[in-house]
Amino acid sequence: FCRGVFFCDQSKRSVLDWKLLYCPVFSVDRVPARSRNHSRLYFYSVRNHFFPMFGNQETEALSELKAQLSAKGVQVTSRHDDISLLRFLRVKNFNTQQTVDMVVEDVKWREEMNLDAEDLIEMFAKRSANFKVLLHYWPGRFVRTDRRGLPVMYERQGSADYAGVLAAVPERDMLDFHCYLQESSRRLEQQGIANGCPADGMVLVQDVGGLSMKRHFLPSAFSFIRAITSMDRNHFPDLFRRIVLINVPFIFSGFWSLIKPILDAPTQARVELASYSVLSVLETEIDTENIPAWCGGKCKDEFPAGGDFAPVIASFQSTPLSSGNGTVLSDHVIMEPQD
């Protein structure tokens, strides 16, 4: 089947297609067994890896979209390259007029958020009073890369004190922090693509072990999830091609039944639950030495512990971190600085 996709209609491949085609070899083993059993999902997994600009529909819609944006006088930045515009088109099912409206809104939103700033940390620190404490506390970081050379994002959702954070930090500051994480992810992916990595998105691993009714099953938490889902759909579509939830507890079924309707169908299709054999699931994408030790791998890089938020913010307010502390963007990995 892979060969069938590989050799189909080669005469229509563009220079960009061929460049992406000769990225690291795609392995059938890297597609989850559940996806392999559904030919359509498997087809799109292979197609999106080899042919991000696949077929005439995408090419024609992309050309039309650019023409309409130019006619409207929309000044797009490097943020809106061909791959990004194609993702917006996919979200709108290749309805060009709806995509134009979406891109126009995105351009306006990015200007308001000042997301083209060179130093995101400095910009968000000035914008949000709670940004640096969230940067210091949040149990989420990029840890090394997958086999294709793209960074992998890990978040220990079960260790995050949602009740404490949402009680102490305004939702706007939380949304700003999420925006920082997503824009940093987008920039890292863009760097990876420039270095020859596939253009079909990154891998997100979320450890949901430790979810509790007290800390996580809250109306304010669901309100926040709706807000960030809307942000991701409207401004960061298809950023992550695979979302792996690990250490899934028994109570997660109730949580998932409430969260799932908030997510759009493409996002739901990317989510994979891994209650057991966590390491074997992650090894379909990532070498063992690059998987954190707390996931069963051999990487012992430091990772934020999360935990109770109240003492963290109290300590931060009494002795603020210097401007040099926090998370930095370097070499495709977001790392926690050493003390």
Side-chain angles (χ1 to χ4, degrees):
F1 182 84
C2 186
R3 287 185 179 179
V5 175
F6 185 90
F7 288 110
C8 69
D9 207 4
Q10 293 183 1
S11 62
K12 295 180 180 178
R13 301 277 67 78
S14 69
V15 173
L16 178 58
D17 291 331
W18 285 112
K19 178 180 178 181
L20 293 169
L21 180 63
Y22 286 105
C23 289
V25 176
F26 180 88
S27 170
V28 174
D29 293 336
R30 298 183 194 178
V31 181
R34 182 176 57 185
S35 296
R36 292 201 298 271
N37 293 333
H38 295 78
S39 59
R40 183 179 180 187
L41 287 177
Y42 177 46
F43 169 78
Y44 282 109
S45 296
V46 177
R47 188 199 77 170
N48 289 342
H49 180 91
F50 284 119
F51 305 127
M53 307 289 290
F54 185 87
N56 288 335
Q57 180 189 19
E58 287 87 345
T59 303
E60 292 173 0
L62 189 59
S63 297
E64 183 180 351
L65 175 61
K66 288 181 176 180
Q68 291 193 28
L69 289 172
S70 178
K72 282 180 169 286
V74 179
Q75 299 294 323
V76 295
T77 64
S78 58
R79 157 61 176 119
H80 298 93
D81 56 14
D82 286 0
I83 294 170
S84 298
L85 292 177
L86 184 56
R87 289 177 177 177
F88 281 108
L89 280 165
R90 286 175 177 164
V91 168
K92 294 300 181 180
N93 294 317
F94 294 93
N95 183 311
T96 309
Q97 185 54 57
Q98 291 182 8
T99 308
V100 168
D101 295 339
M102 186 180 185
V103 174
V104 169
E105 286 299 315
D106 184 60
V107 170
K108 179 180 178 182
W109 178 78
R110 289 183 64 83
E111 290 178 352
E112 293 174 350
M113 296 291 293
N114 193 23
L115 290 185
D116 291 327
E118 183 175 351
D119 189 334
L120 288 177
I121 292 179
E122 180 181 359
M123 186 273 290
F124 275 109
K126 292 179 179 178
R127 176 182 170 88
S128 169
N130 294 289
F131 176 74
K132 285 188 177 180
V133 67
L134 290 172
L135 197 64
H136 177 74
Y137 166 81
W138 190 252
R141 293 290 186 272
F142 279 97
V143 178
R144 304 196 182 184
T145 63
D146 59 20
R147 290 197 183 97
R148 309 179 319 160
L150 288 171
V152 180
M153 180 65 174
Y154 295 83
E155 287 187 313
R156 306 189 75 170
Q157 295 287 353
S159 299
D161 181 9
Y162 271 83
V165 172
L166 292 171
V169 177
E171 185 175 283
R172 177 194 161 176
D173 288 1
M174 287 290 293
L175 290 174
D176 279 353
F177 181 68
H178 179 75
C179 180
Y180 161 76
L181 292 178
Q182 298 300 83
E183 177 61 17
S184 298
S185 302
R186 187 200 65 78
R187 294 187 182 190
L188 286 173
E189 185 200 25
Q190 197 171 48
Q191 292 173 15
I193 293 172
N195 290 330
C197 295
D200 60 338
M202 297 183 291
V203 175
L204 170 63
V205 180
Q206 294 196 329
D207 184 354
V208 294
L211 289 181
S212 69
M213 299 292 293
K214 182 179 179 180
R215 283 188 171 183
H216 302 94
F217 287 68
L218 307 167
S220 56
F222 287 106
S223 173
F224 174 65
I225 291 172
R226 289 189 185 93
I228 64 175
T229 300
S230 175
M231 179 190 295
D232 294 347
R233 181 171 53 248
N234 293 326
H235 304 292
F236 302 100
D238 293 352
L239 185 58
F240 295 100
R241 64 179 173 82
R242 188 177 178 187
I243 303 171
V244 184
L245 307 186
I246 64 173
N247 300 320
V248 180
F250 176 75
I251 65 170
F252 184 77
S253 58
F255 187 77
W256 180 242
S257 66
L258 298 173
I259 293 296
K260 189 174 180 180
I262 300 175
L263 308 177
D264 55 26
T267 302
Q268 291 180 27
R270 296 186 188 104
V271 176
E272 177 181 354
L273 307 183
S275 300
Y276 308 100
S277 303
V278 170
L279 181 60
S280 62
V281 172
L282 297 181
E283 284 178 331
T284 63
E285 297 278 358
I286 313 160
D287 291 330
T288 308
E289 56 268 23
N290 290 332
I291 298 174
W294 52 268
C295 293
K298 298 180 180 179
C299 175
K300 296 183 180 180
D301 292 352
E302 289 189 24
F303 199 91
D308 291 339
F309 183 68
V312 175
I313 192 170
S315 174
F316 184 89
Q317 290 172 343
S318 61
T319 56
L321 294 173
S322 67
S323 60
N325 286 346
T327 302
V328 297
L329 200 62
S330 175
D331 298 331
H332 298 275
V333 181
I334 294 182
M335 300 291 294
E336 183 73 2
Q338 303 294 323
D339 294 330

